[in-house]
Amino acid sequence: MWVRKMKYSVEEKGTKVIVRGIEDFNLKETFECGQCFRWNEEEDGSYTGVAYDRVINVKLEGDMLIIDNTDLNDFYDIWFDYFDLGRDYKQIKESLSRDPILKEAIQYGKGIRILRQDTWETLISFIISQNNRIPQIKKVIENLARSFGDPIEYKGKIYYTFPKAEDFVMFDVETIAKSKCGFRAKYIMDAASKVFSGEINLLKLYEYKTGEIRDILMNINGVGPKVADCVILYSIGRYDTFPTDVWIKRIVEYLYLKREGNPLEIQLFAIDKFGELSGFAQQYLFYYSREMRKKIFNERKK
DNA sequence: CAGCAGGGTTCTG
DNA sequence: CAGAACCCTGCT
């Protein structure tokens, strides 16, 4: 119901696809709201990243989105959905702004979009994220890509695709651990073997109800409710999901509860409050909590 | 079932 | 320069 035909003009120019009519999109906010780990800012403010076995560079100039190293086919097959260009974020923000607290949070990340990411990559990325910091998560993912992915050249630099399940299963846990992923190596291996064997078919997850997907994913060693919810939101696109990590827990406690709570309680509170837009609320709150981290941290010490 | 260990890195006191 | 903390989960 939130999807409506957007009015874009799209043209291919050399190695670029140029999309005009873009609204409610900010690259920094979208790439740094905690949902993805493989995008890096260039000196000119554009971002280069690897997704779906491709390297692209994206730049926003006014209402113009410029995607380099792609073509019209890939734009319509991949990037349109990846950047969620068919969704009216203005309407989502309006609806969520009925809550005055969230209205304030949205001001900090007005251009956030929820990316539609590859399921396998999302699963492994968030397994790595557990008890870890964002720079370290990015580092481990790059290490894995360099060791087990395929090289792609772009503008004289070598990038690496995110390795597939089949790229991991032929190695042992010790080899995977060389990526500095630590105790998570055995979890990556378990995910790889369950996907490679067909025990879990990630491409069919969308056919199941959210709760069923959660159960399927949580059969993987190292996947608990938080990691499963991240996959469900960032890849399957179930927007009534509210992944509850430490940052979200802190910001909800700080802004709403005014006391300590447990993750489940916070998640139920949020889903009751934000309903089918919980996932979007989560992203605005996560970004806001990162912007406010010093303030919140000082409050917590008292 | 509450509490705690767990890679490696960065930040803090 | 030790100790804590880190987008959590599994084990005891």
Side-chain angles (χ1 to χ4, degrees):
Chain A
M1 73 184 277
W2 300 98
V3 181
R4 126 186 142 193
K5 199 77 187 161
M6 309 298 287
K7 289 181 212 128
Y8 298 122
S9 84
V10 183
E11 81 175 297
E12 193 176 282
K13 232 181 186 178
T15 59
K16 298 178 181 3
V17 167
I18 297 168
V19 188
R20 280 167 232 267
I22 297 286
E23 292 179 280
D24 307 295
F25 192 8
N26 178 288
L27 297 177
K28 177 182 155 59
E29 291 162 9
T30 297
F31 294 137
E32 292 177 18
C33 64
Q35 57 180 329
C36 60
F37 303 99
R38 297 207 74 192
W39 288 93
N40 293 300
E41 191 173 11
E42 304 287 354
E43 284 181 5
D44 64 354
S46 69
Y47 278 79
T48 305
V50 185
Y52 291 101
D53 297 330
R54 290 151 173 85
V55 185
I56 58 169
N57 173 270
V58 292
K59 194 176 196 174
L60 264 172
E61 287 178 4
D63 78 330
M64 195 162 67
L65 175 68
I66 304 161
I67 311 176
D68 186 39
N69 203 30
T70 190
D71 57 28
L72 279 179
N73 274 341
D74 274 6
F75 173 71
Y76 287 113
D77 286 351
I78 301 171
W79 307 122
F80 186 90
D81 287 331
Y82 183 80
F83 292 115
D84 206 16
L85 296 180
R87 193 175 313 278
D88 185 355
Y89 276 78
K90 209 162 256 84
Q91 215 176 114
I92 291 168
K93 288 186 283 185
E94 260 174 46
S95 178
L96 286 174
S97 291
R98 285 199 292 259
D99 177 73
I101 295 173
L102 203 62
K103 183 175 183 174
E104 169 74 7
I106 290 172
Q107 299 315 307
Y108 288 79
K110 289 196 278 284
I112 290 174
R113 287 177 168 266
I114 296 189
L115 301 172
R116 180 64 67 100
Q117 301 181 73
D118 173 73
T119 308
W120 166 253
E121 177 172 339
T122 309
L123 172 64
I124 299 302
S125 298
F126 282 94
I127 285 175
I128 293 166
S129 81
Q130 66 178 263
N131 196 40
N132 219 341
R133 310 171 157 231
I134 290 170
Q136 183 65 9
I137 299 164
K138 294 180 79 166
K139 224 176 267 178
V140 170
I141 290 172
E142 287 318 308
N143 291 342
L144 289 172
R146 207 174 303 117
S147 302
F148 306 106
D150 297 323
I152 323 173
E153 196 188 320
Y154 173 62
K155 289 195 168 168
K157 274 180 75 180
I158 306 291
Y159 297 81
Y160 294 88
T161 61
F162 193 90
K164 310 269 184 287
E166 63 196 74
D167 299 322
F168 288 114
V169 288
M170 62 182 92
F171 296 99
D172 54 17
V173 173
E174 289 70 36
T175 310
I176 294 173
K178 291 201 173 89
S179 68
K180 312 283 186 194
C181 61
F183 61 90
R184 305 165 193 84
K186 55 182 183 290
Y187 302 155
I188 295 172
M189 192 51 118
D190 190 54
S193 57
K194 286 196 166 86
V195 168
F196 183 70
S197 71
E199 185 182 332
I200 293 179
N201 186 344
L202 298 178
L203 298 175
K204 281 190 178 280
L205 287 182
Y206 73 93
E207 296 175 6
Y208 296 89
K209 292 179 191 157
T210 300
E212 295 170 334
I213 301 174
R214 222 169 184 238
D215 292 341
I216 293 168
L217 291 171
M218 283 172 64
N219 275 323
I220 298 166
N221 204 221
V223 177
K226 157 64 169 59
V227 172
D229 284 346
C230 287
V231 175
I232 289 166
L233 178 59
Y234 304 137
S235 180
I236 310 296
R238 301 285 166 85
Y239 300 106
D240 54 352
T241 310
F242 194 85
T244 306
D245 57 60
V246 292
W247 292 100
I248 289 295
K249 181 174 175 296
R250 282 173 195 161
I251 195 75
V252 172
E253 287 169 347
Y254 176 70
L255 294 175
Y256 291 97
L257 294 188
K258 315 284 185 193
R259 58 169 175 83
E260 300 256 320
N262 65 60
L264 180 63
E265 175 189 14
I266 285 164
Q267 178 169 53
L268 295 174
F269 170 83
I271 291 176
D272 181 56
K273 199 168 190 56
F274 305 121
E276 62 176 351
L277 300 179
S278 294
F280 300 102
Q282 195 265 7
Q283 292 292 274
Y284 295 121
L285 287 169
F286 184 88
Y287 192 81
Y288 181 68
S289 75
R290 301 283 295 183
E291 294 290 304
M292 295 274 101
R293 70 187 124 180
K294 286 208 176 82
K295 192 174 175 208
I296 297 168
F297 195 64
N298 288 335
E299 293 281 330
R300 283 165 53 80
K301 281 188 190 164
K302 287 183 207 160

